[in-house]
Amino acid sequence: MKLKIAIQKSGRLHEDSLRLLKECGIDISNGGNKLKSTAANFPLEVYFLRDDDIPQYVEDAVADAGIVGENVVYEKKKEVEIMAQLGFGKCRLSIAVDKNETFSKQGLNGKKIATSYPVILQDYLDKNKISAEIHEISGSVEIAPGIGLADAICDLVSSGSTLFTNGLKEAETILESQSVLIRNKTLDQEKVRLLEKLLFRIRAVRKAKNNKYILLNAPNNKLNEIIGLLPGMKSPTVLPLAESGWSSVHSVIDENDFWDIIEQLKDAGAQGILVVPIEKMII
Ligand code: ATP
Ligand code: MG
């Protein structure tokens, strides 16, 4: 038995989805234009699909699981379960208006908004008691105001450069999105077991990305202070150096605390600080 997982055939999520699987020790070749491919070393079959279709395929159990943007999951409103956020494909679904316009939510009343996300946009308008007309288009939404099709748009943004080139500005974020792993809601025992196995690996890879292994030398009389700055997985490892009066301290630190901690460690007398990436982390 194989777990069937759907990923984007080509586009922004394709490479990162394959890379994640690879980091989980699962090797897949997309062999050009294939619809599906089988992993060599994990009971997994990968389907390559348009991202818009993935929630439906997962609901229908054509695929057991899928990797897709939260924006698509919320827009399609299919019966699927979100298992984990995957940390790539980060973007925002935002309302954008002419760059010279002063924006207010209530100012959207009576306006025409072009979007490929009518469901999420309508939810937002309802919640904010705004009555606006939604004009659904499937692509190149950013040109709609320029050609007189709409007064505002609601579209995915990451850097904002597409908006800028089209004389628009981001006015309001209505959804923060990233890629997620979704699953069918009624998988049998064996499939659930395989999915758990995959999820375990994904968590180990994601955890490792958020952490760094740190090694440093410390004078023994400063050890307590330095150890206090380093939580470690259980507690830091301390090994004596060949030179007496000095120790080597090893630990794991959170990527986000990294620069803060490094400065404090230096101030506390740490020397020869090395920071190295971690490949997998099982805790
Ligand atoms: P498909 O052919 O599979 O339908 P697509 O053209 O709909 O592809 P892409 O542009 O490849 O989709 O985007 C896929 C996903 O990448 C989006 O749904 C979103 O979750 C994410 N994404 C991240 N940054 C951006 C961005 N700046 N613009 C659009 N999508 C983004
Ligand atoms: Mg699409």
Side-chain angles (χ1 to χ4, degrees):
M1 158 142 19
K2 287 191 169 64
L3 187 73
K4 292 175 288 184
I5 186 167
I7 69 170
Q8 197 188 19
K9 183 179 173 63
S10 63
R12 293 174 198 263
L13 302 181
H14 174 77
E15 291 289 328
D16 285 334
S17 303
L18 282 180
R19 182 176 314 124
L20 177 67
L21 293 174
K22 193 171 166 54
E23 285 166 346
C24 291
I26 302 168
D27 262 317
I28 291 123
S29 60
N30 180 16
N33 227 6
K34 278 196 290 184
L35 172 64
K36 63 178 185 175
S37 183
T38 305
N41 46 3
F42 193 90
L44 189 79
E45 205 162 57
V46 182
Y47 289 21
F48 302 100
L49 301 168
R50 292 272 322 260
D51 69 344
D52 316 64
D53 298 333
I54 292 176
Q56 180 76 65
Y57 279 114
V58 173
E59 178 183 284
D60 295 344
V62 174
D64 305 310
I67 293 177
V68 70
E70 285 171 304
N71 51 306
V72 174
V73 179
Y74 298 141
E75 180 64 27
K76 300 294 175 188
K77 288 212 158 121
K78 300 294 172 193
E79 280 295 314
V80 296
E81 186 185 332
I82 294 181
M83 304 294 289
Q85 293 187 319
L86 302 175
F88 59 85
K90 286 190 177 164
C91 57
R92 310 177 290 282
L93 185 62
S94 293
I95 292 177
V97 296
D98 186 288
K99 67 173 189 317
N100 299 316
E101 196 177 306
T102 5
F103 174 82
S104 76
K105 282 188 196 181
Q106 290 315 315
L108 289 172
N109 272 301
K111 295 281 171 64
K112 220 181 198 185
I113 311 172
T115 189
S116 310
Y117 293 88
V119 172
I120 300 176
L121 176 58
Q122 190 64 61
D123 275 357
Y124 167 84
L125 295 176
D126 290 348
K127 271 194 199 109
N128 288 281
K129 303 196 168 48
I130 300 165
S131 128
E133 185 188 332
I134 296 178
H135 191 95
E136 183 177 352
I137 42 181
S138 60
S140 303
V141 174
E142 65 282 356
I143 65 166
I147 57 172
L149 192 68
D151 308 299
I153 66 165
C154 170
D155 201 10
L156 295 175
V157 187
S158 45
S159 69
S161 61
T162 309
L163 294 181
F164 186 79
T165 339
N166 285 279
L168 302 170
K169 66 174 178 193
E170 191 174 359
E172 170 102 347
T173 298
I174 70 174
L175 176 77
E176 303 261 4
S177 178
Q178 61 174 285
S179 57
V180 286
L181 180 72
I182 55 170
R183 59 162 277 191
N184 174 276
K185 284 193 166 171
T186 56
L187 295 178
D188 63 40
Q189 281 280 301
E190 180 67 4
K191 292 271 174 82
V192 170
R193 201 185 57 78
L194 287 175
L195 190 61
E196 286 299 330
K197 205 166 153 173
L198 177 62
L199 205 56
F200 175 80
R201 295 189 187 189
I202 289 176
R203 293 208 171 103
V205 169
R206 299 257 299 126
K207 187 96 198 144
K209 280 214 176 101
N210 293 329
N211 287 274
K212 296 274 179 271
Y213 192 74
I214 179 167
L215 304 90
L216 57 87
N217 295 331
N220 287 346
N221 59 357
K222 294 287 177 61
L223 264 181
N224 281 343
E225 192 182 339
I226 286 172
I227 288 170
L229 295 167
L230 293 167
M233 285 215 272
K234 247 195 172 63
S235 77
T237 308
V238 179
L239 302 164
L241 288 191
E243 184 180 332
S244 71
W246 283 81
S247 297
S248 166
V249 181
H250 301 198
S251 191
V252 172
I253 58 173
D254 192 308
E255 170 91 78
N256 297 319
D257 305 335
F258 177 75
W259 288 112
D260 268 355
I261 292 189
I262 295 296
E263 272 176 29
Q264 294 178 48
L265 288 170
K266 274 183 64 190
D267 292 346
Q271 295 183 6
I273 304 174
L274 296 181
V275 178
V276 287
I278 301 171
E279 191 173 310
K280 310 278 188 308
M281 199 164 146
I282 321 293
I283 49 172

